[in-house]
Amino acid sequence: MKTIAIANHKGGVGKSGAAVCLAGALRERGLRVLVVDLDQQATATEWLGLRSPGELPDDEPYGSALCQAVSHAWPLADLVRTSPVELDVVPCGSGFASFDRCVSGQLAAERLLARSMSQLPEEWDLVLLDCPPSLGLVTVNALVASDYLLIPVEPKSASRTPILTILRLAQDVQAQLNENLELLGIVVSRMQPRLQHRQVESWLRELFGVDVLDGVIRESTHVGESHAFQRPVNQYMPASIGAVDFREVGAELLSRIAAAQEEGRREVRIYAS
């Protein structure tokens, strides 16, 4: 069982969409996938049908239950739910916002999620962690609990600051807390056929080299609609460009994981060598 943290401290780059739609694409290939929603906004939880779009955050119990479980390092398996589209998920909600306060002062607070996840049964091939749009204690916990980091990047501007920030955090985590953490890749998401987007994609590939996935996730109305219909895009519209892109990116991730297992651990890098 391998764990992938999907993280970027910039919001709106497609983290939750990547978690849900990659899970759908990988399940289509026969893999057993668990999505763990670590974002109090609960987008992945809602996308997978475990919260109604019109439901008030205070009406759901998931966030508080997740906060209690992780803060006490209780088994995460007790919180696993099977969604209406038959994907396993650990749901989240607004109650998870109190996590930092709950664990304040605890020894080794950055390892609590890893301890909870260590008790998961080996019934999943992959665990996808949908991280919040911040680099706080929740994201640090996710990196400590993960084998790999996947960074979705929207090619809106040529600012490298958000990517460098998450990479530096990953470097620190690898050096001090989780030597097994590797950068699985940077994936260009919400790509549009505009000159600016093409220029930023080219800049990313020049700066970060092979760390940028070959596959990109193009902007697609069907991906947004699949959220509204509460299912991964490959189930909502199997022939859409969104479904095609997530299948291709999912296949590339599996290839990279296989290569990483053969080659051994790589240090998290900021610049291409």
Side-chain angles (χ1 to χ4, degrees):
M1 183 171 68
K2 296 296 182 182
T3 301
I4 303 173
I6 302 175
N8 187 328
H9 75 293
K10 187 177 186 301
V13 297
K15 291 187 300 295
S16 297
V20 170
C21 294
L22 280 173
L26 293 168
R27 184 180 180 278
E28 192 177 71
R29 297 175 65 94
L31 277 75
R32 300 162 299 173
V33 184
L34 171 65
V35 176
V36 179
D37 191 351
L38 297 175
D39 187 352
Q40 68 187 62
Q41 298 177 72
T43 302
T45 298
E46 181 179 291
W47 204 317
L48 288 170
L50 290 176
R51 188 180 78 176
S52 300
E55 186 176 359
L56 294 175
D58 293 341
D59 293 338
E60 50 77 23
Y62 301 129
S64 297
L66 180 60
C67 184
Q68 287 294 310
V70 177
S71 62
H72 291 88
W74 293 340
L76 209 62
D78 295 342
L79 302 182
V80 175
R81 302 289 181 267
T82 300
S83 75
V85 293
E86 298 184 349
L87 273 169
D88 291 334
V89 57
V90 174
C92 194
S94 60
F96 197 57
S98 62
F99 177 75
D100 283 22
R101 186 174 66 253
C102 287
V103 302
S104 176
Q106 283 198 41
L107 193 64
E110 67 278 354
R111 299 185 183 275
L112 290 169
L113 179 62
R115 289 170 59 192
S116 289
M117 290 186 57
S118 69
Q119 303 172 69
L120 282 172
E122 292 285 331
E123 62 182 82
W124 295 283
D125 300 301
L126 285 172
V127 180
L128 304 181
L129 306 183
D130 182 20
C131 298
S134 71
L135 298 184
L137 190 55
V138 174
T139 298
V140 172
N141 264 266
L143 294 177
V144 172
S146 295
D147 302 290
Y148 303 105
L149 166 64
L150 177 66
I151 307 174
V153 175
E154 183 181 9
K156 252 185 175 180
S157 70
S159 173
R160 64 187 183 185
T161 302
I163 307 173
L164 295 181
T165 303
I166 182 70
L167 285 175
R168 286 187 178 118
L169 175 63
Q171 283 184 324
D172 290 343
V173 169
Q174 186 188 58
Q176 302 176 42
L177 297 168
N178 177 14
E179 65 178 10
N180 296 317
L181 179 67
E182 294 184 49
L183 174 62
L184 190 57
I186 298 167
V187 58
V188 179
S189 66
R190 308 188 70 174
M191 180 75 178
Q192 298 180 32
R194 299 159 64 177
L195 177 60
Q196 180 189 24
H197 281 227
R198 293 196 299 271
Q199 289 174 332
V200 173
E201 181 193 9
S202 176
W203 169 82
L204 285 168
R205 295 189 185 282
E206 180 180 352
L207 182 59
F208 297 105
V210 296
D211 286 332
V212 181
L213 270 64
D214 294 331
V216 302
I217 299 169
R218 290 168 287 180
E219 183 72 38
S220 168
T221 57
H222 292 125
V223 173
E225 290 171 1
S226 74
H227 181 183
F229 281 86
Q230 297 188 298
R231 58 189 60 228
V233 68
N234 69 300
Q235 293 188 25
Y236 169 68
M237 195 67 68
S240 66
I241 62 170
V244 170
D245 290 348
F246 277 109
R247 289 188 188 105
E248 291 180 353
V249 169
E252 186 174 356
L253 292 181
L254 294 178
S255 176
R256 286 182 173 234
I257 289 172
Q261 291 176 307
E262 290 182 4
E263 297 167 3
R265 184 182 71 89
R266 290 192 310 140
E267 291 187 6
V268 176
R269 300 174 300 173
I270 287 183
Y271 294 97
S273 59

